[in-house]
Amino acid sequence: MKRVLFSDGKEVGEIFDWTQRSDPPAYKTFLGKTVLMTPANTECTFTSPKPVNRRAKLSIVEDDNVSFELEILKVTHGTKIVARIKKTTD
């Protein structure tokens, strides 16, 4: 699968070491009412071919048809990125 990283609309290059993790939403019952405690969370980690700015708006296009909009959580050494997937478009 080919995944291409875009930073503020400009192509950065193909990413390496893609991993994705999903946490289901957590609900709790208080006084007979069910309340959402933590929403569903989908995180990904990958390595960028070039350093990325922490404030950049990142998106990934997978196989020219699926795109992910990302919210950066952590950047290590400018290229190792941990991000939350905000939106997925087919």
Side-chain angles (χ1 to χ4, degrees):
M1 254 188 232
K2 182 179 177 183
R3 293 182 181 94
V4 179
L5 177 66
F6 289 87
S7 176
D8 294 324
K10 297 178 184 174
E11 184 175 336
V12 176
E14 192 171 347
I15 61 172
F16 308 94
D17 303 329
W18 170 267
T19 58
Q20 188 173 345
R21 179 181 66 109
S22 296
D23 294 330
Y27 294 94
K28 201 162 201 174
T29 303
F30 291 108
L31 301 172
K33 292 186 179 183
T34 303
V35 179
L36 177 64
M37 295 301 290
T38 57
N41 185 19
T42 304
E43 289 185 359
C44 62
T45 59
F46 59 92
T47 304
S48 171
K50 297 178 184 173
V52 175
N53 185 352
R54 173 84 166 91
R55 294 184 180 98
K57 292 187 181 201
L58 298 181
S59 60
I60 293 177
V61 176
E62 182 179 278
D63 292 334
D64 296 327
N65 59 1
V66 179
S67 65
F68 302 105
E69 289 183 23
L70 305 176
E71 177 185 346
I72 298 174
L73 299 176
K74 182 179 176 183
V75 177
T76 308
H77 303 298
T79 58
K80 185 70 176 172
I81 300 166
V82 178
R84 179 178 296 128
I85 298 175
K86 294 192 315 186
K87 187 177 179 183
T88 303
T89 308
D90 289 334

